[in-house]
């Protein structure tokens, strides 16, 4: 499909070139994600271990018994609350960090530096210069995500009515899809608007106030409405994302990951999935930068100066 001068294939090839050219940037972002996930995972594991290590049901839950997991969590609301706050804290922390790292990645993809030193300088300068800009855009994104939050609230209510009848994970797939699917779709659309607003703010460098971020988001909505190739690009990214996780489930399904070797094998598989996911995200941003470069610049306001006769 062709939209203007940019096709879906052009965006995908731009992503592939960016990943192959800036593998160091991909690895740096991946390592930060690994450290952040490790800290949050260790905190959650410590809470669960301290609360349930002496209960046989916990061992069964770890082995994949859904009924055991729901049973022990239902009887420990304080533990559920602690785990929830840790998870929310990790999400908020990663959102703040992502403003810097996304700005750095977009700066690298926009300016195309050569060499590791120039790339590191471009990444650091880009992340620092756009951090507050993306923070203001993050405030605007709350408004864009509001429909997704409403759909999520309704979906969780729908899911709560049916989760009690589920005995296996397979029986949860249908309710999960119907309950969380609409919210996920609205979240993806809102996130895409924010992504293209970020790309414009990085490439065009318009005004950096909150109103300027809001105008960038509005222009992104209008632009996406006229450029279906952007939505096809989003679909291709999520298709790749789903395929990676399906491959992970295929590798882990019906395989006994027991002992130290099993734990290391499972860890290696998960980290490979995370690395591929990071590469997909960087390639996805590169495709968006490729399309954003064809956008007309935002309108500029010209101040009028009235002259006075002497």
């Amino acid at each position: 499909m062709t939209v203007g001068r940019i096709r879906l294939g052009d965006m995908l090839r731009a992503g592939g070139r960016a990943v192959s050219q800036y593998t160091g940037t991909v690895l740096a972002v991946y390592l930060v994600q690994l450290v952040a996930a490790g800290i949050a995972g260790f905190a959650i594991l410590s809470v669960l271990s301290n609360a349930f290590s002496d209960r046989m049901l916990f061992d069964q839950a770890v082995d994949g018994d859904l009924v055991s997991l729901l049973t022990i969590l239902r009887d420990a609301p304080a533990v559920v609350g602690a785990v929830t706050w840790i998870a929310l804290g990790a999400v908020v922390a990663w959102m703040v960090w992502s403003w810097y790292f996304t700005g750095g990645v977009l700066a690298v993809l926009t300016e195309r530096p050569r060499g590791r030193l120039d790339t590191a300088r471009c990444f650091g300068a880009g992340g620092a210069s756009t951090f507050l800009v993306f923070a203001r855009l993050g405030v605007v994104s709350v408004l864009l995500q509001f429909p997704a939050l409403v759909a999520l609230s309704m979906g969780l209510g729908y899911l709560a009515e049916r989760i009690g009848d589920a005995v296996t994970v397979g029986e949860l797939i249908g309710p999960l899809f119907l309950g969380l699917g609409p919210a996920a779709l609205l979240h993806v659309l809102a996130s895409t608007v924010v992504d293209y607003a970020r790309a414009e703010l990085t490439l065009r460098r318009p005004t950096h106030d909150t109103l300027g971020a809001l105008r960038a988001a509005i222009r992104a909505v209008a632009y996406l409405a006229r450029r279906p190739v952007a939505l096809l690009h989003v679909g291709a990214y999520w298709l790749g994302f789903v395929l990676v996780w399906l491959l992970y489930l295929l590798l882990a399904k019906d395989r006994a990951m027991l002992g130290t070797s099993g734990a290391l094998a499972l860890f290696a598989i998960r980290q490979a999935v995370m690395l591929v996911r990071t590469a997909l995200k960087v390639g996805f941003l590169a495709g968006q930068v490729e399309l954003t470069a064809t956008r007309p610049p935002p309108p500029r306001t010209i101040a009028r100066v009235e002259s006075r006769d002497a």
Side-chain angles (χ1 to χ4, degrees):
M1 180 175 182
T2 306
V3 179
R5 298 180 179 179
I6 298 294
R7 303 178 181 180
L8 178 60
D10 298 329
M11 299 176 71
L12 296 178
R13 284 191 291 272
R17 289 194 301 269
V19 172
S20 62
Q21 184 176 359
Y22 297 107
T23 54
T25 302
V26 174
L27 290 174
V29 175
Y30 157 74
L31 289 176
V32 172
Q33 290 179 332
L34 177 61
V35 171
I39 294 174
F42 179 78
I44 293 175
L45 180 61
S46 298
V47 171
L48 294 177
S49 178
N50 291 333
F52 305 127
S53 60
D54 58 343
R55 300 183 59 177
M56 185 178 299
L57 283 178
F58 183 63
D59 295 333
Q60 297 175 4
V62 172
D63 289 337
D65 190 336
L66 180 62
V67 176
S68 298
L69 178 62
L70 294 177
T71 300
I72 61 175
L73 292 180
R74 182 178 55 191
D75 296 336
V79 175
V80 174
V83 170
T84 301
W85 281 111
I86 292 174
L88 288 177
V91 170
V92 172
W94 176 245
M95 287 176 58
V96 174
W97 295 342
S98 70
W99 296 336
Y100 178 85
F101 288 106
T102 302
V105 171
L106 287 174
V108 169
L109 297 176
T110 300
E111 300 180 19
R112 297 289 182 176
R114 295 181 178 274
R116 295 180 179 178
L117 183 59
D118 288 342
T119 301
R121 289 174 177 173
C122 180
F123 185 96
S129 63
T130 58
F131 180 80
L132 293 179
V133 183
F134 289 177
R136 297 185 180 100
L137 185 60
V139 175
V140 175
S141 69
V142 174
L143 300 176
L144 297 175
Q145 295 287 357
F146 182 75
L149 293 176
V150 173
L152 178 61
S153 177
M154 298 174 60
L156 290 177
Y158 167 84
L159 189 60
E161 297 176 355
R162 290 160 176 78
I163 194 173
D165 298 330
V167 178
T168 64
V169 176
E171 294 179 359
L172 278 176
I173 294 178
L176 282 173
F177 180 79
L178 295 176
L180 304 181
L185 179 60
L186 292 173
H187 168 71
V188 168
L189 292 175
S191 299
T192 303
V193 171
V194 173
D195 284 341
Y196 276 93
R198 285 174 174 173
E200 180 193 337
L201 290 169
T202 302
L203 185 65
R204 307 299 184 189
R205 301 300 173 99
T207 178
H208 287 178
D209 56 6
T210 304
L211 187 58
L214 178 60
R215 287 194 292 263
I218 294 174
R219 287 193 297 269
V221 172
Y223 184 75
L224 291 175
R226 300 191 305 269
R227 299 293 188 273
V229 69
L231 299 180
L232 287 177
H233 185 237
V234 174
Y237 165 73
W238 282 105
L239 177 61
F241 181 88
V242 171
L243 289 177
V244 169
W245 278 109
L246 288 178
L247 179 60
Y248 165 72
L249 294 176
L250 181 63
L251 293 174
K253 180 178 173 55
D254 297 330
R255 298 179 186 274
M257 299 293 182
L258 303 177
T260 303
S261 60
L264 291 176
L266 186 59
F267 177 80
I269 294 174
R270 287 179 177 175
Q271 298 317 306
V273 169
M274 184 180 293
L275 179 58
V276 173
R277 177 187 172 186
T278 303
L280 285 175
K281 183 62 177 180
V282 173
F284 177 61
L285 292 176
Q288 290 180 333
V289 170
E290 185 81 3
L291 183 59
T292 301
T294 66
R295 293 177 59 179
R300 295 182 178 273
T301 302
I302 302 177
R304 297 182 179 180
V305 180
E306 297 181 359
S307 61
R308 296 181 179 181
D309 296 334

